[in-house]
Each structure stands twice: as structure tokens, then as C-alpha cells.
Amino acid sequence: MTTREAFARAKAEGRAALIPYVMAGYPSRGADLELVKQVLPYADLLEVGLPYSDPLGDGPVIQRASEVALRQGIRVADVAAFVREIRALTEKPLFLMTYLNPVLAVGPERFFQMFKEAGASGLILPDLPPDEDPELVALAQGMGLETTFLLAPTSTEARIRTVAPYCTGFVYTVSVTGVTGVRDRLPEGLPELVGRIRRFTGAPVAIGFGVSNRATARQAAQAADGAVVASALIRAHEEGRGLVEVLKEVQAGLVGAPGPVH
Amino acid sequence: MKLPSYPLPDARGRYGPFGGRYVPETLIPALEELTEAYLHYKNDPSFLAEYAHYLRTYVGRPSPLYFAENLTRHLGGAKIYLKREDLNHTGAHKINNTLGQALLCKRMGKKRVIAETGAGQHGVSVATVAALMGLECVVYQGAEDMRRQALNVFRMKLLGAEVRPVESGTRTLKDATNEAIRDWVTNVRDSFYIIGSVVGPHPYPMMARDFQSIVGEEIKAQLREAEGRENPDAVIACVGGGSNAIGVFAPFAYQEERPRLIGVEAAGHGAASGLHSLSIGAGRKGVLHGAMMYLLYDDDGQIRPAHSVSAGLDYPGVGPEHSYYAEAGLAEYVGITDEEALEGFRLLCRLEGIIPALESAHAIAYAAKLAPEMEPEQVIVINLSGRGDKDVVEVMRIMEGGAA
Ligand SMILES: Cc1ncc(COP(=O)(O)O)c(C=O)c1O
């Protein structure tokens, strides 16, 4: 299933797309796939995080998860194997979320090859403004990976015009000026922000950072085509609550009645 | 006074392949705004007059260029001069940069400054200028470093700063830097981030270099007076992120006639031990804290913790301009171990009555190797980046048998 199809299907069903986040190696080797199985029925697309030592775009929840995963000795090759395992379970689009340095360390071509072969659909690079390295972006795209970059409430029209065309997967719109984390409310002004973005791209737009409950999901759905849920899922796991509880709540905000999408 | 104009970085903040802006998109507009403001004020006479005024009357510039006669005689080779940044207010070169950035912050109408600190030297320096300028100040410091540097934590508090412990990652400087950047991402509209070295996204490495280059410019004038020539034969400086070194390298690096420029990295327990801060000596190109630079990381790109007896050199990366100098051969980079640095520390105490910062002691230790191989009419300038008051407790612990 392509990314566009995944968003289109959600839309046809009167929903904004739900994009849960899971991290390779969290909460442990093997148990990460259990979390995938819990979230997959609710997912239109899936975001898979590669744990990193210095996640400067992330708040405390994802930082903690990264540390847990790295303590398990999770390597890039393990993350690729994890993607392969997920791919065996689903046709849905899988986006790898990774900071840039692991890509550079492995070598961009080899890195992209590994994840393409594993079944990833695309990449999200939170610390790479695409115009910093257009060749790297072109390389990924040329190898059949879609690319997704971030835009934010601070983004000027000039930045939106620059970044949006590089988003061949979807546009990841950061809801707040801040890092990832759980929030009760998102700022006002999201529809205006997404409206500004849509002037420069036809790609689907998803809201991320802070979507955690029915209210925030509703705000995301009113503005955009989808919502990423990350910290709220990890926190639910930390607190020993079921992920499904969070997913149902978020889904209720994205749509009418809750329930598995497939 | 004037701030310099060097050929690099280019308009995109690049020094060859190094530098750039590898940060979350949220920050890009703020970095653009900062670049524009800096490029405006660096040519603004009233800004420059204000900066010059505080440098002279508050920091105590120009710092002396001192002919270290005893050290010269002891080593028996080139004449050794010390550029006395240790005599600056707050005891190190750091304030040349923090003062410039705090003045810029004020001109930009921001009321809150954020900083990261390792041992606390940069944090104290930022807390100092924040007190001076009436700015709210938040300093991030690794919880582990706060424990090791309790005195500097107290100094920052005395100066009115809030010190926030960082519990993530290795709980040291690199994690404090991550946390400061996260704060900035969150409060970017009303806060100014003062980075402590020539690292971070463009325009930080350029700004910090320009504010530090006064040190090298003073050396030229002072050497003309002392030796009748502007260029020494060698300039030696320790390299953590690289701000004190770039301050004495950049004014010479782009000239046709260049002295040897020698950056001294911390070799810790030795290159082979894995416990070192040899970003250039043992690192590879990578991205951390917003810039492409030489960096210590493992095969998967996970950042490797650095080690040095001196907390100020304990950083896994090195500024993009140094990375470029190393690649282009404009400067040489060498390593000095913990043990050698401690020997350099003792040497300067005994021979010159100057207690150097452990960081600066790395530069002394390398000069002690180099000077005897040079001719008596040749001249070495060492950037004595800071004083050692902050280090005496640690050195006492080590001399009494503790591990470095
Ligand atoms: C006295 C002194 N020298 C050198 C350094 C290293 O920093 P840089 O390489 O930016 O000069 C520090 C950092 O804290 C310092 O305090």
C-alpha cells in the first residue's frame, strides 16, 4: 500500500490517518514486536524509531525509551531486522525515523539499501533540513524511499516553500514549538499553519508532537490528514497501561466511533 | 574596534564540507534571524563601541602577552610567550564570546539566555554577563558534572542563574548541550542560546570565532612591539570545542605567511585506550549539535563519550572550522595525555608562578616537546586560555593518588 493510498483510505472512511510510533528495541528485544502487534490494527501508517544516543528533538519520554533500547545493545542492523519483521505482518507504509548521524556512519547508500530491502517505505529525518543536503535526499528517493521532513509553527513562507517539495511521503507538521512529548492541548493556529503548508504541496500533512488523547487528536484531525502518536504510547507502556486504550482515545478524536481500522 | 571578516564560512555556513545547520526545522528561522542580526550589528558602530567598552573596562583587555623567560630557559629552544587569557574576568577566554553574544541578545530584544556547561566555566561566564546585562539565565549542566563541580554550581547561583541538572544520556556536557537546544526549540521566540564554543549550527561557530579573534589580533600587535614582527613561528592552543584555539588561529590561518598553528586535543589515557577526546585525531566526519564536524562515534553513529582529565576538553566533537583546517592542512592537531598535561601544569606552576587551567596545560605540555626542537630566535605563542583555580582540588586529588 502506498503512502498516498493509506491517507486516502482513511479519508474515504471519514478519518484522519493514525500513525503510531514504535521504537526498535523498546521495551526490549522481541517485546518491541509485541507493541507493534498491539498498535498495528489501529494504524494507517507506522513510524519506526531508530534509538539514538543524542535525540535532541525529543522530550524525556522518547529519550528514556532510546536509552532503554540502546542498553539492549540495539544496532542499526537490528533495526533493519525489526522493520523486516514488521513488514512480514503488514502492507501498511512504514516510515523509519532516524537522526542523521547513524545514516552517515553506516554510509547513506548502504543505510538506505538496508532499509529499502527490509521493507521500509520512507524516512523521517528530524535533524536534517532537506536543503542542507539535497544530494542525500535525492539518493534516498532514487533508491525508492519516500522522504518526510518537518515543518513547524515557526516556519516562514520561505522555509515552507523550500522544504515542502522534498516531502515525497507526507509532511510532518510539528504542532508546537518544542520537542516531542505528551500534551493535553495543542496550540491554536494549526489549521492556519497547515493551510500555509498546503499552498506549496499536494502531499498529505500529518500533525505530530503532543497528540495523546481525544482532544489533541481532534485538533489534529481538524487541521490535517493524519496524526502521529508517539510519546503517549511509550508513556502508557511505562505506566503499565495498555497501548490500545490510548489508541482508542486518539482514534475517537480522529473519527467517530473507535475500533480497529482493519 | 572592528570584528573581522574571514573568507569562511560561505553563505550557507559551510567551511568546506563542515558546518551547516543540522537542527530541527523549528530552529531554522531563528538561526536565519540571528545570522541577519549578527551581520548587521558586527558593523554597527554603537554595538562595537559597547563591546569594546566592556572588553576594556570589565573583562580587562587587552590581556598581556608575557615572555615566559624561565620556561624558555628551562626548555632551551624557541622563545615562549604566553597570551594571558587567564587574567580575564572570570578567569578564561570564554567571556570574550559570552559578552559579545549577550550584547547581541540585548540588541535583539530577548530577555532570557540559555547556556550549557560542562565543568561550569562557560556557565559561570554566561551567568556573569547575564547578571551584568540584567538577563534571566538558565544553565544546563549534566547531573554528574554538577556533582563534580559543586563550587561552580554555587558560583552560577550566586550570580543569579538557575542551574538545571540534566539526567539524560551520559549526564555530561554533550547531554547538557542537547537539553539547552531542547529548551531553545521550546522557547525560541523569546530566548537567546549562548553556545560555549565554536560549535553548533551556523552562525554560532562564526560568531564565537569572530568574538574570540580579538585574542589573535592582540597577539599580532603585542608581538610587533616585543619582537618587531607580527607572526610568531608557532601558535599553540588546546582544543575542546575549539574556541580559544580558533581565536588565535583564524587571524593567521588565512594569511599567505602562516605560522605553524598547532591545536592540542586531549589524548586522555591515550589514543589506544578509547578514553580520550581526540575528535580530529581519532574521529570521523559526523553531525552533532547542529554541525558537520570531526566527531567520536561508533560504527552505528552513536556518539561516544569523550574523556579528559580537564572537563573543558571533554567533548566528543570539534568545531567545523577546525575540522576544515585539519582537512585543508592549515593547522596541525596533536594529542597530549592526561599525564603529560599534569606535567605541563606542574611545570608552569613551578617555573613561572602561574597556575594554568588543566585545559591550557595541554598546550603547555605540547610546547615543552616542541620548543627544544626549535631555534632560540624562533617564537612560540601559547594561548593560556584559563587559570587553574577551578582545577586545584581535582589536581590535589590526583596527586594524592586518585585516578585521572
Ligand atoms: C580554560 C579553558 N580552556 C579551554 C577550554 C576548551 O574550550 P575551547 O576549545 O572552546 O576553547 C575551556 C572550556 O571550558 C576552558 O575553560
Side-chain angles (χ1 to χ4, degrees), chain B residues 22-345:
Chain B
Y22 297 90
V23 290
E25 186 64 34
T26 307
L27 291 179
I28 296 290
L31 291 167
E32 290 174 344
E33 182 195 336
L34 179 60
T35 306
E36 203 176 306
Y38 172 67
L39 292 177
H40 170 77
Y41 285 113
K42 82 172 266 200
N43 294 310
D44 176 75
S46 89
F47 176 82
L48 293 171
E50 197 180 7
Y51 181 50
H53 166 76
Y54 283 111
L55 283 179
R56 194 176 66 249
T57 62
Y58 188 74
V59 175
R61 302 212 70 87
S63 68
L65 183 70
Y66 166 70
F67 174 44
E69 203 173 344
N70 296 340
L71 185 62
T72 299
R73 200 177 315 113
H74 175 79
L75 295 173
K79 290 174 86 167
I80 298 177
Y81 283 84
L82 303 177
K83 180 60 173 166
R84 299 292 308 275
E85 291 301 293
D86 60 316
L87 295 177
N88 294 342
H89 181 41
T90 70
H93 69 289
K94 298 276 180 192
I95 196 156
N96 303 326
N97 172 44
T98 52
L99 178 65
Q101 290 199 35
L103 287 170
L104 185 60
C105 165
K106 236 179 58 174
R107 297 274 171 153
M108 292 174 73
K110 313 232 171 183
K111 303 265 185 297
R112 176 176 182 269
V113 294
I114 312 158
E116 82 292 338
T117 198
Q121 288 309 106
H122 175 61
V124 167
S125 160
V126 173
T128 299
V129 294
L132 175 68
M133 305 287 162
L135 301 165
E136 183 189 340
C137 178
V138 173
V139 179
Y140 290 91
Q141 187 171 27
E144 182 59 25
D145 286 339
M146 278 180 81
R147 191 186 55 71
R148 290 191 294 199
Q149 303 287 336
L151 260 178
N152 269 344
V153 175
F154 185 63
R155 279 193 187 102
M156 288 184 268
K157 288 180 179 167
L158 276 177
L159 293 161
E162 182 194 342
V163 185
R164 295 191 185 163
V166 176
E167 302 280 358
S168 54
T170 55
R171 303 156 94 219
T172 59
L173 176 60
K174 82 174 173 67
D175 309 283
T177 307
N178 291 333
E179 206 53 36
I181 294 175
R182 290 180 188 118
D183 181 319
W184 197 39
V185 171
T186 307
N187 300 295
V188 60
R189 290 191 175 97
D190 58 13
S191 295
F192 190 107
Y193 178 28
I194 303 186
I195 299 184
S197 190
V198 282
V199 298
H202 179 63
Y204 281 103
M206 171 177 81
M207 278 197 308
R209 171 199 66 192
D210 292 357
F211 288 129
Q212 289 296 354
S213 69
I214 185 153
V215 183
E217 292 299 338
E218 284 177 6
I219 289 173
K220 287 186 184 180
Q222 290 167 322
L223 209 58
R224 201 182 312 120
E225 201 152 294
E227 294 284 334
R229 56 175 165 133
E230 283 193 351
N231 283 2
D233 296 284
V235 179
I236 304 179
C238 65
V239 177
S243 66
N244 89 86
I246 212 76
V248 295
F249 287 6
F252 297 103
Y254 298 101
Q255 298 177 164
E256 229 159 83
E257 297 265 322
R258 237 186 354 263
R260 283 179 70 183
L261 303 174
I262 304 171
V264 185
E265 296 191 298
H269 293 202
S273 70
L275 294 172
H276 57 72
S277 304
L278 299 168
S279 313
I280 292 176
R284 288 177 285 160
K285 280 180 208 169
V287 164
L288 181 68
H289 301 146
M292 174 83 68
M293 56 187 175
Y294 279 111
L295 188 63
L296 300 175
Y297 55 85
D298 71 14
D299 290 345
D300 283 358
Q302 309 289 351
I303 307 303
R304 276 191 9 217
H307 166 85
S308 169
V309 65
S310 70
L313 302 184
D314 202 338
Y315 183 73
V318 62
E321 192 161 352
H322 286 294
S323 301
Y324 171 76
Y325 287 0
E327 198 171 82
L330 295 179
E332 314 156 48
Y333 295 85
V334 297
I336 282 290
T337 63
D338 287 351
E339 207 172 307
E340 292 169 323
L342 286 162
E343 196 44 49
F345 181 90

Side-chain angles (χ1 to χ4, degrees), chain A residues 63-118:
Chain A
Q63 288 173 46
R64 280 198 298 273
S66 310
E67 287 176 24
V68 168
L70 289 175
R71 272 201 300 272
Q72 319 272 323
I74 293 293
R75 309 274 321 254
V76 171
D78 298 320
V79 182
F82 180 57
V83 169
R84 192 183 303 277
E85 288 173 327
I86 302 172
R87 183 47 81 213
L89 299 174
T90 184
E91 297 277 294
K92 294 173 183 177
L94 304 178
F95 276 75
L96 179 75
M97 207 300 302
T98 180
Y99 287 87
L100 183 59
N101 208 50
V103 180
L104 300 177
V106 171
E109 185 154 3
R110 203 171 132 231
F111 187 98
F112 298 149
Q113 188 71 33
M114 259 166 100
F115 283 91
K116 178 66 190 170
E117 279 173 14

Side-chain angles (χ1 to χ4, degrees), chain B residues 349-388:
Chain B
C349 290
R350 294 283 177 81
L351 290 176
E352 296 290 350
I354 296 171
I355 303 179
L358 276 175
E359 291 81 8
S360 323
H362 287 73
I364 306 287
Y366 190 74
K369 290 188 182 180
L370 184 66
E373 297 168 6
M374 291 170 65
E375 302 302 323
E377 63 280 2
Q378 291 187 296
V379 169
I380 295 176
V381 174
I382 302 172
N383 195 15
L384 193 63
S385 56
R387 70 174 85 120

